């Protein structure tokens, strides 16, 4: 298998016959699959390098690419051995899962960690919900805990996904609307088209109508709130909330740049026109920022960021707030700082971190 063809496939530039050829090669042998994932890691990181979201220099990435070639026993442009094992049916949407996993190995590299938690979650394999007309094929792109991802939709819209996030979208948009569903945290760069609006809906009922703009969504199902922040352009935000007498009513907001709207279980919690957009997408730059953040949120953010399991042994811990900024620190290093700046102690047993109040 020619490496140029593999890179072309990662970039989404292959023809249908070429995609089938790559798919057949990947499914033929575990070594082929491992090579493809590692190659995808390098391509993703080089893409991030262009946008200054990298942790390795271009020289380091090239050295790692050469190391990968040496390890697998190939040279640039040389064919890779194709196993004679029985081929499995390998759905092209499996590449979406691979692209999500791709950023894990380098962006959360063990080079920057003194301890690494392992995730035991079962990978999600994406399959079409229906086959038929061109708008009927539905794809799901999911980033597991500890993983970040980036996807480009059919209309050239770019979506960055933080850990434990999911976007559901048609392979081909309809002629009237560009409709997608989203859960988790993401940053959208929507391709502008005034006659072809995009509608983004969340699992918690928030709806965003977009014509072309940049905005941020945070809508995890296990969070108390969900929010949207506008960076540039205009969006219309809508959600059903409880009104007077407990009757549900639709609230609509025409948002302006630097505005953030936060919903809680009962209605609108906050509307601000002074959003710190830099902090909102710190995760996109590989930064984890806490600013007087309640420990209940700190725990969830650390679990998503490191793909870890954290158990709070005493509820009083949730009354504390934490401030700190991290880049490549491991979970253990962060827990050590929490321990140093608060009465919270921790222990680790079988890859699970337990938090408790330190005995004086």
């Amino acid at each position: 298998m020619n490496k140029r063809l593999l890179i072309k496939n990662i970039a989404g530039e292959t023809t249908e016959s070429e995609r089938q050829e790559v798919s057949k090669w990947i499914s033929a042998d575990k070594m082929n699959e491992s090579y493809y994932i590692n190659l995808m890691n390098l391509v993703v990181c080089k893409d991030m390098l262009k946008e200054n979201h990298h942790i390795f220099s271009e020289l380091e990435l090239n050295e790692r690419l050469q190391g990968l070639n040496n390890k697998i026993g190939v040279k640039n442009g040389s064919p890779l051995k194709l196993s004679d094992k029985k081929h499995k049916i390998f759905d092209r949407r499996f590449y979406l899962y691979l692209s999500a996993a791709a950023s894990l190995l380098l962006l959360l590299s063990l080079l920057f960690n003194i301890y690494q938690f392992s995730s035991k979650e079962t990978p999600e394999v994406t399959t079409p919900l229906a086959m038929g007309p061109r708008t009927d094929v539905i794809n799901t792109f999911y980033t597991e805990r500890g993983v970040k991802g980036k996807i480009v939709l059919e209309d050239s819209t770019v979506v960055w996904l933080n850990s434990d996030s999911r976007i559901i979208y048609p392979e081909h948009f309809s002629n009237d609307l560009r409709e997608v569903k989203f859960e988790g945290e993401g940053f959208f760069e929507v391709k502008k088209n005034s006659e072809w609006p995009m509608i983004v809906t969340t699992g918690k009922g928030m709806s965003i109508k977009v014509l072309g703009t940049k905005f941020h969504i945070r809508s995890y199902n296990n969070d108390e709130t969900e929010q949207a922040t506008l960076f540039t352009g205009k969006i219309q935000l809508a959600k059903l909330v409880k009104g007077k007498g407990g009757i549900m009513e639709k609230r609509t907001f025409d948002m302006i740049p630097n505005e953030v709207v936060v919903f809680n279980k009962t209605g609108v919690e906050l509307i601000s026109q002074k959003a710190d957009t830099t902090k909102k997408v710190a995760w996109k730059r590989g930064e984890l920022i806490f600013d007087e953040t309640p420990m209940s949120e700190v725990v969830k953010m650390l679990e998503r960021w490191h793909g870890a399991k954290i158990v709070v042994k005493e509820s009083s811990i949730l009354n504390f707030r934490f401030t700190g900024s991290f880049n490549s620190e491991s979970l253990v290093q962060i827990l050590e700082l929490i321990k140093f700046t608060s009465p919270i102690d921790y222990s680790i047993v079988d890859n699970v971190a337990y938090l408790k109040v330190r005995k004086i």
Side-chain angles (χ1 to χ4, degrees), residues 188-199:
F188 286 69
E189 299 177 6
V190 179
K191 189 72 173 179
K192 187 174 182 179
N193 189 328
S194 59
E195 297 180 355
W196 200 24
M198 173 175 284
I199 304 294

Side-chain angles (χ1 to χ4, degrees), residues 309-327:
K309 176 66 176 177
I310 302 175
V311 176
V312 177
K313 301 284 285 184
E314 301 171 61
S315 60
S316 59
I317 287 177
L318 303 179
N319 297 327
F320 293 101
R321 291 178 176 269
F322 180 63
T323 297
S325 178
F326 305 94
N327 189 302

Side-chain angles (χ1 to χ4, degrees), residues 40-310:
M40 184 177 290
N41 266 308
L42 296 169
V43 173
V44 169
C45 284
K46 282 198 172 186
D47 182 47
M48 290 183 174
L49 184 68
K50 297 176 183 177
E51 302 189 34
N52 295 320
H53 299 308
H54 59 286
I55 57 176
F56 295 111
S57 68
E58 186 170 10
L59 177 61
E60 288 174 308
L61 288 173
N62 288 329
E63 290 175 348
R64 286 171 178 271
L65 180 58
Q66 185 59 48
L68 174 62
N69 286 336
N70 294 337
K71 184 176 180 181
I72 204 72
V74 300
K75 296 181 180 180
N76 249 347
S78 65
L80 297 174
K81 183 179 180 181
L82 180 62
S83 170
D84 291 328
K85 292 182 179 180
K86 187 177 181 180
H87 301 304
K88 301 177 182 178
I89 298 175
F90 194 86
D91 193 281
R92 58 176 291 206
R93 278 159 294 282
F94 180 63
Y95 294 129
L96 297 175
Y97 166 72
L98 289 179
S99 63
S103 58
L104 172 63
L105 296 178
L106 292 181
L107 297 181
L108 297 176
S109 173
L110 287 174
L111 294 174
F112 293 93
N113 288 292
I114 62 175
Y115 186 88
Q116 180 68 39
F117 275 74
S118 61
S119 174
K120 298 182 180 179
E121 294 187 13
T122 302
E124 174 176 315
V125 179
T126 302
T127 56
L129 299 183
M131 297 297 291
R134 50 180 268 124
T135 57
D136 284 349
V137 178
I138 305 298
N139 295 323
T140 297
F141 182 46
Y142 172 62
T143 52
E144 296 195 43
R145 291 187 174 189
V147 180
K148 299 173 189 63
K150 173 186 176 182
I151 186 171
V152 180
L153 304 182
E154 178 198 24
D155 64 335
S156 298
T157 289
V158 180
V159 184
W160 293 85
L161 292 86
N162 201 353
S163 301
D164 194 20
S165 299
R166 177 183 284 100
I167 183 171
I168 302 173
Y169 62 98
E171 186 164 343
H172 300 288
F173 291 116
S174 71
N175 294 328
D176 300 321
L177 289 174
R178 294 172 285 173
E179 296 182 277
V180 301
K181 296 180 180 180
F182 189 85
E183 298 175 8
E185 184 170 17
F187 181 74
F188 286 69
E189 299 177 6
V190 179
K191 189 72 173 179
K192 187 174 182 179
N193 189 328
S194 59
E195 297 180 355
W196 200 24
M198 173 175 284
I199 304 294
V200 181
T201 56
T202 69
K204 302 179 79 170
M206 187 168 65
S207 175
I208 301 174
K209 183 177 181 180
V210 189
L211 296 179
T213 185
K214 297 180 181 180
F215 63 96
H216 165 262
I217 297 176
R218 182 182 171 93
S219 181
Y220 286 102
N221 287 336
N222 62 341
D223 279 0
E224 295 295 320
T225 64
E226 67 173 337
Q227 59 181 269
T229 304
L230 181 61
F231 282 59
T232 62
K234 293 181 179 180
I235 60 177
Q236 186 179 82
L237 183 66
K239 184 175 181 177
L240 287 174
V241 300
K242 287 185 179 179
K244 294 181 179 180
I247 300 175
M248 301 300 292
E249 60 182 34
K250 186 176 182 180
R251 296 290 304 274
T252 303
F253 303 90
D254 291 319
M255 297 182 64
I256 60 176
N258 298 320
E259 186 172 48
V260 57
V261 176
V262 181
F263 293 99
N264 58 22
K265 291 182 178 180
T266 59
V268 180
E269 182 178 271
L270 172 70
I271 301 177
S272 172
Q273 295 180 0
K274 298 180 180 179
D276 189 338
T277 54
T278 301
K279 288 184 177 180
K280 288 288 183 182
V281 289
W283 55 269
K284 188 167 170 277
R285 303 187 302 272
E287 298 177 32
L288 183 60
I289 298 178
F290 302 105
D291 186 7
E292 285 294 304
T293 306
M295 282 302 299
S296 58
E297 290 300 310
V298 172
V299 168
K300 285 187 285 189
M301 291 171 69
L302 289 178
E303 285 185 324
R304 294 166 186 154
W305 190 267
H306 287 282
K309 176 66 176 177
I310 302 175

